[in-house]
Amino acid sequence: MFAQGRRVDPPRLIYTPHDTMRPKKIPARFVFVLLVGTLLASVAAEYVRPPPGRVILTGNSQPPSHPQQVHVSLVGANRMRVSWVTDAKHGHSVVDYGRASGNYTSSATGEHTSYRYFLYSSGKIHHVTIGPLDPGTVYYYRCAMVGDEFTLKTPPAALPLELALAGDLGQTEWTASTLAHVSKTDYDVLLVPGDLAYADTQQPLWDTFGRFVQEHASRRPWMVTEGNHEVEAGMALPGSPAPFVAYTTRWRMPHEESGSPSPLYYSFEVAGGAVHVVMLGSYAGYNSTSEQYGWLARDLARVDRRATPWLVVLLHAPWYNTNAAHAGEGEAMRKAMERLLFDARVDVVFSGHVHAYERFTRVYNDEANPCGPVHITIGDGGNREGLAFDFQKNHKLARLSLMREASFGHGRLSVVNATAARWAWHRNDDADSTIRDELWLESLSANGACRRANPADDSWSDEL
């Protein structure tokens, strides 16, 4: 059932110009640093993906004042944040938008920021919130009053809703294949459970990643949480960059709107509140005295399952995993927080980190439980480190693992109505995308046996 990994040469670098046939050259010293870093990573990596999987460096030949790395995200019920970067140190943090091409009937002004990472200095990073917007509507927009026109589509006001999921993306040929498959069929929101650019302190890779995904991320909202490759902690010296500085500065998510004290975890709702999505931080404090734990308890307590029949959680390091890769790394967080998710009757938990696909039965506290969430690992978006082939047949959790495969791909959660949703995992087969796993889920809010009369009642039995 499982393909066997084999060692291959380190991935070659592909340079792709952005929006032009005359590419601007990337400095030779930058390519040399990338090649050395890739060689070292290849030697240290336990798993190496099968070819092709070359790293793609997407360059920029736009004028310095023109927007690049454009992406959109959700902010509240009827607003979206438009983010982009300009190389110029000046420019307008303005978005003009409307329902017809070239006819911008509304305008919004935001702010810009930047950051330094040792010798690297970012361009101006702009964030503008637009709205109120009508649901299920295509809008045309232009950033900074110059450059290209983009289009975006807002999510629907009610179910049905289509969520696409892809973790551990990177910027390789396999990433390009995954995103092409995601976009072949319409979806409303893309959820990413961590590990975006695989910059790993090489800050220009954040820029190439932003240009690489712009075609997709400018059209539909991307909602992301951090992975280990976003940490990028500097040395413990005065003036060293703080952890997550590139991630939190570039990919701003609505943590303040959800009452979260940290950009590393937050929540949001879609489809008129029918689906509540919680984005947890595997690399923030999570024990019972942590800010994240307290925020999560408050966030889940506010969810009315009569109005919000679906509860979805994303995090990076999986709590359930039968692969030798990253074995046990999510266990401490599971022990600290799993009861909160179980008591709230979370329907499904998505994670990344392990570069493969795996789906478990409904589970709680290492045992099958019809009122626990389904745990799904979807860390197979296209990263440069390779696939995790070593699933352990005799693992203590193997009896709970219903499907596992080391292939690149993406997932789709089609929430049909208040009680039913269809999950499908699509494996990349080059030009095609093959459904290798699918099932129908019933919302736990519709399951009378799992409904709690009083969520604060700790006498609820785990044995169902």
Side-chain angles (χ1 to χ4, degrees), residues 121-452:
S121 181
S122 75
K124 291 295 183 182
I125 302 170
H126 305 258
H127 300 289
V128 177
T129 300
I130 62 174
L133 305 172
D134 291 330
T137 302
V138 173
Y139 285 88
Y140 298 81
Y141 67 99
R142 189 172 66 164
C143 307
M145 299 183 286
V146 294
D148 298 330
E149 179 182 77
F150 298 90
T151 63
L152 63 82
K153 185 180 179 183
T154 57
L159 299 176
L161 177 77
E162 184 85 358
L163 299 173
L165 291 102
D168 298 68
L169 286 172
Q171 42 194 313
T172 71
E173 289 178 320
W174 278 119
T175 316
S177 174
T178 295
L179 294 178
H181 291 324
V182 169
S183 295
K184 276 187 177 179
T185 305
D186 196 20
Y187 65 96
D188 299 306
V189 182
L190 178 70
L191 306 179
V192 182
D195 284 0
L196 281 70
Y198 282 77
D200 295 324
T201 75
Q202 299 180 56
Q203 297 304 300
L205 282 176
W206 279 106
D207 295 307
T208 60
F209 176 78
R211 295 189 287 264
F212 179 83
V213 302
Q214 174 179 281
E215 174 188 356
H216 308 279
S218 62
R219 297 175 54 248
R220 297 291 185 274
W222 280 34
M223 306 304 289
V224 305
T225 190
E226 85 281 1
N228 56 299
H229 287 274
E230 275 71 68
V231 179
E232 298 188 305
M235 295 178 289
L237 297 173
S240 295
F244 305 104
V245 62
Y247 166 72
T248 57
T249 306
R250 293 170 180 270
W251 291 82
R252 183 174 295 180
M253 294 291 116
H255 77 275
E256 294 173 336
E257 290 80 359
S258 64
S260 167
S262 168
L264 301 181
Y265 47 89
Y266 63 97
S267 66
F268 64 96
E269 293 185 342
V270 277
V275 181
H276 187 83
V277 182
V278 178
M279 309 291 268
L280 294 180
S282 292
Y283 304 96
Y286 47 70
N287 63 33
S288 60
T289 61
S290 68
E291 287 187 330
Q292 181 173 200
Y293 186 99
W295 167 82
L296 177 61
R298 294 189 299 272
D299 184 78
L300 293 175
R302 286 193 292 264
V303 178
D304 181 355
R305 296 303 293 274
R306 293 167 296 184
T308 305
W310 290 95
L311 252 178
V312 176
V313 170
L314 272 78
L315 48 88
H316 188 61
W319 293 357
Y320 289 89
N321 171 34
T322 67
N323 202 295
H326 304 299
E329 289 186 20
E331 183 65 3
M333 188 179 187
R334 180 192 71 80
K335 289 181 176 179
M337 288 186 156
E338 186 177 25
R339 182 60 187 256
L340 291 178
L341 271 57
F342 178 75
D343 285 350
R345 296 300 182 259
V346 168
D347 294 291
V348 58
V349 176
F350 294 103
S351 60
H353 204 33
V354 177
H355 300 161
Y357 173 77
E358 184 167 22
R359 174 174 60 85
F360 290 83
T361 187
R362 290 196 178 275
V363 62
Y364 171 65
N365 198 25
D366 287 348
E367 297 293 341
N369 191 308
C371 298
V374 174
H375 283 256
I376 297 175
T377 300
I378 190 80
D380 53 354
N383 66 88
R384 60 172 167 77
E385 292 183 332
L387 291 166
F389 294 100
D390 192 8
F391 286 106
Q392 300 174 313
K393 294 181 180 179
N394 297 322
H395 195 283
K396 67 176 183 179
L397 299 175
R399 71 190 190 283
L400 306 174
S401 179
L402 303 182
M403 171 63 184
R404 48 189 185 174
E405 180 174 309
S407 299
F408 291 114
H410 77 280
R412 304 183 83 94
L413 183 65
S414 305
V415 186
V416 179
N417 52 42
T419 60
R422 175 179 176 267
W423 166 253
W425 174 62
H426 299 245
R427 182 181 66 192
N428 286 4
D429 285 332
D430 295 328
D432 300 315
S433 177
T434 304
I435 295 179
R436 289 285 292 126
D437 185 36
E438 60 181 330
L439 77 154
W440 282 91
L441 293 170
E442 179 190 35
S443 170
L444 292 179
S445 66
N447 187 333
C450 297
R451 194 174 299 124
R452 299 184 65 178

Side-chain angles (χ1 to χ4, degrees), residues 4-20:
Q4 296 300 312
R6 59 187 181 90
R7 189 149 307 270
V8 298
D9 292 334
R12 290 174 288 165
L13 300 172
I14 300 176
Y15 174 70
T16 304
H18 177 61
D19 293 336
T20 180

